[in-house]
Amino acid sequence: MIFVKDIIAAIEAFAPVQYQEGYDNSGLQVGDTQAAVTGVLLTLDVTDAVLDEAMQCGANMIVAHHPLIFSGLKRLTGRNYVERIVQKAIKNDIHIYAAHTNLDNVRAGVNAKIAEKLGLVNTEILSVMGGTLRKLHTYVPVAALDKVRDALFAAGAGEIGKYSECSFGTEGKGTFRAAADANPAIGVAGGAREQADEVKLEVLIEKHTESRVLKALFDSHPYEEVAYELVALENKNQQIGAGMVGYLPNPMDEMAFLAYLKERMAVSCIRYTALKGSDIRKAAICGGSGSFLLKDALAAGADVFITGDFKYHQFFDAEGRILIADIGHYESEQYTVEIFEAILNKKFPNFAVLVSKTNTNPVKYYC
Ligand SMILES: [Zn+2]
């Protein structure tokens, strides 16, 4: 039996919810984490048609990229489509979950999928998120070092790029004096000052593993009071952030590139700025509304910036320095469901994971 919480855990192991933006509302929107799942329907947006589709195909959970509930709901009276869908989902025991900007911000997320469709190579995060790394220092008696270090590694500490179990230890002397009501691992309560051979152990931890790692520290460390410091780092984590930049395997002239983009992303039209008259080699991408990353795309030296939702005045900001190609919000993120599909099929083989056949794009084109 697979439960709602199992589906959520699989997705959040890939895209930890700690990496969503402050304005976002990713997570379980409607439903119960303890409920059994009969099938999952994957979609970009939750619409009434998607809800009907889920019920028709026997899937009682919808996993979406865009949250149905964004700002708070003050009442449920069916005044708008959000309230009506929430009411209908509750009546029909449908669970609705969304992984939004956390899926945008992980290295293998929304933008990696677009890069894959465009065949980009040597990709990097376009705007790396700050404040996601911490350094943990703790002081461990030598005899307990292996136990504590193993527990920290098992909880996810000490991972740096392609290396795991990274740590540094410095031997030294620790001192302490236990109060009369203490329960010391070394020495006696109310006794004289003790001196112990200890190792100062240092490990890097990522924001999403912090509570797990601290629990492992407290559970494995022999001291009643665990001495530790958790220090926020300025270091950038190259695995977390917005947008992506990468190279085409072979440069293309701009019109050939636009034709390639149209075909690869299955779009009916592209809005773009004046051609620069030079080849496209380096491409910046951002699924969804990416205009906030134009300055990063310019700083990265990208020849083209591919995203959606550019406004009229924002097109002027290209100033002949970059080709902006707006392929549409829906179009840029339409393959996002393939990420959910791969995660769930790998974790739960032989389980009903279905991709919605509903085109939820609210924008129509009259060409
Ligand atoms: Zn979006």
Side-chain angles (χ1 to χ4, degrees):
M1 189 95 78
I2 293 166
F3 298 92
V4 169
K5 64 180 163 54
D6 301 325
I7 302 291
I8 296 174
I11 293 170
E12 293 186 0
F14 180 89
V17 76
Q18 289 88 345
Y19 299 129
Q20 70 174 322
E21 301 292 341
Y23 59 80
D24 203 3
N25 190 37
S26 291
L28 188 64
Q29 308 254 296
V30 176
D32 177 1
T33 56
Q34 305 301 322
V37 181
T38 57
V40 177
L41 185 67
L42 309 176
T43 182
L44 189 63
D45 307 283
V46 184
T47 64
D48 192 48
V50 170
L51 197 58
D52 287 341
E53 188 183 355
M55 291 190 281
Q56 276 155 21
C57 63
N60 69 347
M61 183 171 185
I62 295 171
V63 170
H65 179 48
H66 293 138
L68 173 67
I69 302 170
F70 219 88
S71 45
L73 288 178
K74 281 199 164 181
R75 50 180 73 81
L76 281 173
T77 56
R79 289 173 310 168
N80 56 46
Y81 80 95
V82 175
E83 292 183 10
R84 287 193 294 276
I85 292 171
V86 170
Q87 288 176 302
K88 189 166 163 179
I90 292 169
K91 277 185 198 162
N92 292 281
D93 280 329
I94 304 286
H95 310 274
I96 299 175
Y97 172 84
H100 187 214
T101 50
N102 46 326
L103 194 65
D104 290 325
N105 284 336
V106 292
R107 181 75 177 75
V110 172
N111 297 304
K113 178 54 72 177
I114 300 171
E116 175 196 314
K117 297 289 176 189
L118 296 178
L120 301 186
V121 295
N122 298 329
T123 54
E124 289 177 355
I125 298 265
L126 183 57
S127 173
V128 174
M129 185 187 280
T132 67
L133 294 174
R134 320 231 181 297
K135 189 73 170 286
L136 174 68
H137 308 152
T138 186
Y139 304 85
V140 191
V142 173
L145 180 62
D146 285 343
K147 184 186 176 201
V148 172
R149 198 165 41 194
D150 288 351
L152 297 180
F153 290 158
E159 304 210 344
I160 303 177
K162 292 177 179 162
Y163 296 81
S164 58
E165 305 194 1
C166 305
S167 71
F168 192 81
T170 321
E171 289 184 17
K173 300 282 186 192
T175 64
F176 47 86
R177 187 172 178 176
D181 58 348
N183 183 23
I186 296 171
V188 291
R193 184 200 298 153
E194 289 289 337
Q195 181 166 283
D197 291 326
E198 293 180 344
V199 172
K200 179 183 181 187
L201 182 62
E202 307 183 28
V203 286
L204 194 68
I205 64 177
E206 294 175 74
K207 188 177 172 182
H208 71 278
T209 64
E210 185 179 312
S211 55
R212 224 162 50 218
V213 170
L214 289 180
K215 183 174 188 308
L217 172 65
F218 299 141
D219 288 348
S220 63
H221 199 293
Y223 287 179
E224 185 179 23
E225 292 290 347
V226 178
Y228 74 99
E229 293 119 31
L230 192 59
V231 183
L233 301 181
E234 293 292 327
N235 302 42
K236 302 272 178 153
N237 180 353
Q238 299 299 329
Q239 302 301 309
I240 307 291
M244 189 158 274
V245 64
Y247 293 86
L248 288 170
N250 299 300
M252 279 184 212
D253 76 52
E254 290 167 295
M255 289 313 291
F257 177 77
L258 290 174
Y260 175 79
L261 179 60
K262 183 174 188 283
E263 187 258 317
R264 285 301 181 103
M265 295 304 292
V267 294
S268 55
C269 68
I270 299 171
R271 300 193 303 152
Y272 65 98
T273 52
L275 301 180
K276 294 200 306 165
S278 53
D279 281 354
I280 304 289
R281 288 184 172 80
K282 195 172 190 182
I285 50 184
C286 180
S289 305
S291 60
F292 70 103
L293 287 174
L294 177 63
K295 60 184 185 317
D296 299 277
L298 285 163
D303 303 303
V304 63
F305 182 35
I306 304 152
T307 184
D309 281 348
F310 254 84
K311 292 180 182 168
Y312 177 80
H313 289 285
Q314 294 170 330
F315 279 93
F316 285 104
D317 297 332
E319 294 197 70
R321 298 171 294 174
I322 194 168
L323 175 66
I324 294 172
D326 183 334
I327 61 174
H329 191 129
Y330 176 88
E331 288 78 1
S332 70
E333 295 188 317
Q334 62 187 312
Y335 301 114
T336 300
V337 289
E338 293 180 8
I339 305 171
F340 293 133
E341 192 182 20
I343 295 167
L344 297 179
N345 280 338
K346 188 174 170 203
K347 182 79 181 173
F348 309 108
N350 310 317
F351 183 66
V353 175
L354 309 159
V355 174
S356 169
K357 294 182 177 72
T358 308
N359 181 327
T360 59
N361 193 355
V363 181
K364 305 297 176 201
Y365 300 94
Y366 185 82
C367 299

